[in-house]
Amino acid sequence: MNLSTVNDINLISLDVIHSNGANLYIFENLNDLFTIKRIFTITPEEGEDKERGYHAHRKDIQIVTCPHGSISFTAKDGTNELTINLDNPGKAIYVPTYIWGET
């Protein structure tokens, strides 16, 4: 079995359309990376600032985004560690299987 490493993580630039005073970010061509089967979002409850993650996925590949504000995403592969600050809704992080993620 070939396990992923933090070197397999990619920072993705999303296409954006500026229209009527708003920005529309487009998640397109992600099927080049993997087939999307499920999408979920996390929003903190009012006044809460909880850490998330602290696990890896054996089967699931992830795209991590931050549509509002900023997060610091740390990825670990058992040997190496990589931290990426997401502070732009036009950026996303591709996280392959077997990568430990923390925010």
Side-chain angles (χ1 to χ4, degrees):
M1 174 174 40
N2 210 4
L3 297 179
S4 301
T5 71
V6 295
N7 295 327
D8 298 315
I9 292 173
N10 293 320
L11 187 61
I12 300 167
S13 293
L14 303 175
D15 290 332
V16 61
I17 296 173
H18 307 284
S19 174
N20 296 328
N23 295 321
L24 177 64
Y25 295 97
I26 304 167
F27 291 78
E28 195 168 42
N29 300 323
L30 295 180
N31 286 332
D32 294 344
L33 299 170
F34 64 99
T35 301
I36 298 171
K37 293 183 179 179
R38 176 178 46 187
I39 296 173
F40 64 91
T41 61
I42 300 169
T43 56
E45 294 187 20
E46 191 68 33
E48 296 289 324
D49 188 20
K50 299 288 183 184
E51 296 175 338
R52 300 287 309 173
Y54 293 91
H55 65 278
H57 293 270
R58 291 184 295 176
K59 296 181 182 178
D60 295 336
I61 297 167
Q62 302 178 75
I63 297 290
V64 177
T65 66
C66 184
H68 180 71
S70 65
I71 61 170
S72 180
F73 181 83
T74 300
K76 301 176 182 179
D77 63 17
T79 303
N80 300 299
E81 182 175 309
L82 173 67
T83 298
I84 299 172
N85 292 313
L86 275 180
D87 58 2
N88 179 332
K91 300 290 183 186
I93 304 169
Y94 166 77
V95 183
T97 56
Y98 293 101
I99 297 295
W100 183 272
E102 304 172 0
T103 63

